[in-house]
């Protein structure tokens, strides 16, 4: 191509690479206008009904095999030409949809800009805030739009990040890119995701199954880390005591998880909680309740809240390490990261330091926090949300969606908002507490939601679900 000598072997290698690239990147990309989808936005995506499964009802995909193979006909050349043609068309349609979504995001951001300008004009007329204070408050304002438009912006933000990643990979590692797309198709922006196969499990069934498997693997890792010293930690002769403390902390978490799994839903769990009142006197109370999100946060009350100091300073605020969850065991951080990613672990997670996984977890917590604040501050009517919005919101909080009705998901979402936003805000405004670790609260609830979803009889992963229920009912 560039004037050098090209032999038959290099030509065959180049041809193989081009075919692999087309089948991996072009062939995998695109859904275009399939299923009569509206190309103007994400919000008109069709919802595939999800059928519930029970212990005695094994999914048909397991009994009868995987997806139904389409009948093939014609010679290989015509099939290859048709395949390449369809792939190019789907890729072009995906690019058009990506550009259309970008324009829709700009229109939504224009509405936000007008809303912020109206707030700034109002504050300027009142004269109670300086220009710097107004700008700081405007950074946290996301009003002027509906929750549906807010979710649209978040999806557009995610797609742009994935597109930027692909651009860097195509420049820095072009030979690796086809393999990455082949084994990790979810790295593509949503307009380029491959269409579902005929007869295959739905998106939510796949998510339920893979997340249940990740929950089982996380439980095994917790028990392993509580008993075995990591190979790399053995080389650090000066950190044995710290490693022992970390193993003991992991062991205590494992025991708490064991109590939660072995307690039936009607069991009563009792724990003593020590708090400090406004006069600085410690008060011990006995908490008795059935296990659930409310009792989980009550048991962790002394870790989630810090009481106000007597002199009114900020001495009882949480440190940066505490807010960044540096004390959370690596097995839990890694497990939550895998569950958030849809239950599909990255091979590099085994060799990357723990702070990489913790950074990914904190980014997801920040995303959920902004969504929670939007729902509460804008007084979004949860009862009016549609199935698509409910499933997306519940999935981000690791709540089970498969087999659940809209009313169930609405109840779970309302309870989440009440526990992590409404109640803590009331306690902070009342002066009883001075600081609140919202990252730890959301992490604890997501761990509980993951376990509860894996135990649910409607889970697409029927064997772990049967294992959990068999242990409880034995």
């Amino acid at each position: 191509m560039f004037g050098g000598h090209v032999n038959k072997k290099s030509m065959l290698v180049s041809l193989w690479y081009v075919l692999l690239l087309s089948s991996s990147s072009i062939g995998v990309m695109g859904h275009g206008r399939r299923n009569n989808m509206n190309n103007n936005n994400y919000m008109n995506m069709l919802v595939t009904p999800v059928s519930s499964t029970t212990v005695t009802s094994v999914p048909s995909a397991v009994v009868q095999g995987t997806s139904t193979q389409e009948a093939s006909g014609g010679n290989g050349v015509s099939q290859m030409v048709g395949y390449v043609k369809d792939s190019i068309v789907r890729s072009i349609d995906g690019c058009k949809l990506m550009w259309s979504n970008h324009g829709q995001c700009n229109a939504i951001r224009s509405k936000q800009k007008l809303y912020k300008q109206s707030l700034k004009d109002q504050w300027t007329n009142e004269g109670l805030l300086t220009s710097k204070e107004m700008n700081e408050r405007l950074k946290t304002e996301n009003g002027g739009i509906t929750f549906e438009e807010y979710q649209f912006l978040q999806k557009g933000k995610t797609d742009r990040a994935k597109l930027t990643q692909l651009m860097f990979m195509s420049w820095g590692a072009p030979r690796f890119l086809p393999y990455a797309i082949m084994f990790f198709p979810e790295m593509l922006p949503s307009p380029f995701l491959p269409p579902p196969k005929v007869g295959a499990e739905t998106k939510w069934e796949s998510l339920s199954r893979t997340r249940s498997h990740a929950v089982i693997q996380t439980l095994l890792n917790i028990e392993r880390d509580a008993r075995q010293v990591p190979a790399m930690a053995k080389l650090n002769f000066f950190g044995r005591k710290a490693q022992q403390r970390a193993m003991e902390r992991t062991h205590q978490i494992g025991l708490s998880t064991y109590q939660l799994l072995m307690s039936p839903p009607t069991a009563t769990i009792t724990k003593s909680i020590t708090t400090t009142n406004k006069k600085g006197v410690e008060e011990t109370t006995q908490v008795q309740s059935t296990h659930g999100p409310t009792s989980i946060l009550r048991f962790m009350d002394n870790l989630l809240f810090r009481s106000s100091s007597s002199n009114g300073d900020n001495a009882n605020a949480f440190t940066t390490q505490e807010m960044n969850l540096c004390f959370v065991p690596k097995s839990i951080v890694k497990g939550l990261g895998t569950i958030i990613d849809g239950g599909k672990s990255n091979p590099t997670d085994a060799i990357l330091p723990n702070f990489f996984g913790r950074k990914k977890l904190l980014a997801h917590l920040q995303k959920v926090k902004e969504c929670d604040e939007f729902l509460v501050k804008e007084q979004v009517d949860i009862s009016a949300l549609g199935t698509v919005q409910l499933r997306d919101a519940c999935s981000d909080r690791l709540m089970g969606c498969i087999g659940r009705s809209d009313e169930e998901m609405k109840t779970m979402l309302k309870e989440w908002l009440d526990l992590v936003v409404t109640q803590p805000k009331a306690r902070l405004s009342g002066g009883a507490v001075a600081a609140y670790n919202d990252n730890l609260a959301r992490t604890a609830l997501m761990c509980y939601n993951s376990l509860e979803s894996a135990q649910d009889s409607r889970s697409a992963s029927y064997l772990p679900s049967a294992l959990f229920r068999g242990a409880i009912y034995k």
Side-chain angles (χ1 to χ4, degrees):
M1 183 180 296
F2 296 97
H5 177 69
V6 180
N7 53 28
K8 293 183 179 180
K9 183 177 180 181
S10 62
M11 291 178 62
L12 290 176
V13 172
S14 301
L15 179 60
W16 173 83
Y17 174 76
V18 172
L19 291 176
L20 177 62
L21 179 62
S22 63
S23 62
S24 300
S25 58
I26 300 178
V28 170
M29 291 181 180
H31 61 279
R33 298 182 177 88
R34 68 179 182 273
N35 296 333
N36 296 325
M37 184 178 296
N38 187 348
N39 283 357
N40 291 330
N41 50 50
Y42 305 95
M43 297 179 288
N44 293 326
M45 288 185 176
L46 299 178
V47 181
T48 304
V50 179
S51 59
S52 60
T53 58
T54 60
V55 177
T56 58
S57 177
V58 181
S60 59
V62 179
V63 178
Q64 301 175 1
T66 55
S67 60
T68 304
Q69 300 295 331
E70 297 180 357
S72 59
N75 56 52
V77 176
S78 62
Q79 291 181 12
M80 176 62 69
V81 173
Y83 174 75
V84 173
K85 179 182 177 181
D86 293 341
S87 299
I88 295 175
V89 171
R90 288 196 300 266
S91 300
I92 294 175
D93 290 341
C95 293
K96 291 181 179 179
L97 179 57
M98 192 81 178
W99 180 256
S100 176
N101 292 336
H102 177 65
Q104 184 70 14
C105 288
N106 289 336
I108 297 174
R109 281 190 287 266
S110 298
K111 296 173 64 175
Q112 284 185 314
K113 187 176 180 180
L114 292 176
Y115 176 77
K116 291 182 179 181
Q117 185 62 40
S118 63
L119 285 179
K120 188 173 183 179
D121 295 339
Q122 179 183 350
W123 295 339
T124 302
N125 295 333
E126 293 175 354
L128 301 178
L129 299 174
T130 63
S131 177
K132 183 177 180 181
E133 292 174 341
M134 285 190 292
N135 292 333
E136 289 296 326
R137 290 185 61 177
L138 288 175
K139 291 180 181 179
T140 60
E141 292 290 340
N142 289 312
I145 58 176
T146 64
F147 181 63
E148 191 177 17
E149 292 174 328
Y150 177 83
Q151 286 187 318
F152 187 91
L153 282 179
Q154 298 304 313
K155 291 180 179 179
K157 187 177 181 180
T158 303
D159 284 342
R160 288 194 301 275
K162 291 182 177 180
L163 182 61
T164 303
Q165 181 183 14
L166 288 177
M167 293 174 63
F168 275 106
M169 290 186 64
S170 63
W171 170 75
R175 295 179 180 271
F176 175 74
L177 182 59
Y179 301 99
I181 297 177
M182 180 187 302
F183 293 104
F184 302 99
E186 62 275 1
M187 68 183 295
L188 293 170
S190 58
F192 299 99
L193 289 178
K197 297 180 180 179
V198 179
E201 60 184 358
T202 64
K203 166 190 172 183
W204 301 107
E205 289 174 339
S206 175
L207 192 64
S208 174
R209 177 178 55 81
T210 53
R211 281 183 169 178
S212 295
H213 296 177
V215 169
I216 298 296
Q217 186 60 52
T218 302
L219 294 177
L220 297 177
N221 292 340
I222 291 175
E223 187 174 283
R224 179 202 61 195
D225 292 348
R227 299 299 184 184
Q228 297 180 2
V229 179
M232 296 300 297
K234 295 179 181 179
L235 302 178
N236 185 8
F237 300 101
F238 303 99
R240 292 182 177 179
K241 291 185 177 180
Q243 179 63 33
Q244 189 65 32
R245 289 193 298 269
M247 293 175 63
E248 180 62 27
R249 186 165 57 249
T250 305
H251 178 61
Q252 293 299 326
I253 293 176
L255 292 178
S256 300
T257 306
Y258 172 82
Q259 182 184 13
L260 178 64
L261 292 174
M262 295 302 296
S263 300
T266 56
T268 301
I269 304 174
T270 305
K271 182 179 179 180
S272 299
I273 296 180
T274 303
T275 57
T276 305
N277 57 22
K278 294 183 179 180
K279 297 181 180 180
V281 180
E282 292 187 351
E283 298 178 348
T284 303
T285 57
Q286 296 288 335
V287 177
Q288 293 184 351
S289 62
T290 58
H291 71 71
T294 303
S295 61
I296 293 296
L297 295 189
R298 283 183 180 178
F299 290 176
M300 300 178 60
D301 192 85
N302 57 337
L303 298 175
L304 299 177
F305 295 94
R306 291 283 173 83
S307 57
S308 303
S309 58
S310 57
N311 53 4
D313 57 10
N314 201 29
N316 288 345
F318 287 100
T319 63
T320 303
Q321 289 77 12
E322 291 172 330
M323 293 300 297
N324 290 341
L325 308 178
C326 295
F327 57 91
V328 178
K330 178 180 179 179
S331 54
I332 296 181
V333 173
K334 178 182 176 182
L336 280 177
T338 303
I339 297 172
I340 290 170
D341 289 342
K344 299 178 181 179
S345 59
N346 193 329
T348 58
D349 291 342
I351 59 176
L352 290 177
N354 188 32
F355 66 85
F356 280 98
R358 191 168 63 247
K359 183 178 179 181
K360 180 171 64 174
L361 175 60
L362 291 173
H364 183 77
L365 292 174
Q366 180 63 28
K367 171 187 174 182
V368 174
K369 177 182 178 180
E370 293 175 356
C371 183
D372 291 343
E373 292 177 348
F374 179 88
L375 289 170
V376 174
K377 192 171 184 179
E378 300 301 321
Q379 299 180 353
V380 177
D381 185 9
I382 305 297
S383 303
L385 296 181
T387 304
V388 176
Q389 287 75 38
L390 287 172
R391 283 182 175 176
D392 288 339
C394 291
S395 179
D396 287 341
R397 292 153 183 81
L398 305 188
M399 300 175 183
C401 301
I402 183 172
R404 298 183 188 268
S405 64
D406 288 359
E407 295 303 323
E408 288 182 272
M409 291 188 287
K410 291 174 184 177
T411 301
M412 293 189 300
L413 187 56
K414 288 179 181 179
E415 184 180 21
W416 171 284
L417 296 175
D418 182 64
L419 291 175
V420 301
V421 180
T422 306
Q423 292 185 15
K425 187 177 294 185
R427 295 181 63 177
L428 289 171
S429 60
V433 295
Y436 167 55
N437 194 338
D438 57 328
N439 285 338
L440 181 59
R442 289 184 173 88
T443 300
L445 287 185
M446 286 196 296
C447 290
Y448 173 82
N449 292 336
S450 301
L451 284 172
E452 194 272 338
S453 300
Q455 287 182 283
D456 196 343
S457 60
R458 295 164 291 187
S459 172
S461 185
Y462 56 94
L463 290 179
S465 176
L467 177 65
F468 280 126
R469 294 197 307 280
I472 292 177
Y473 298 145
K474 184 176 180 181

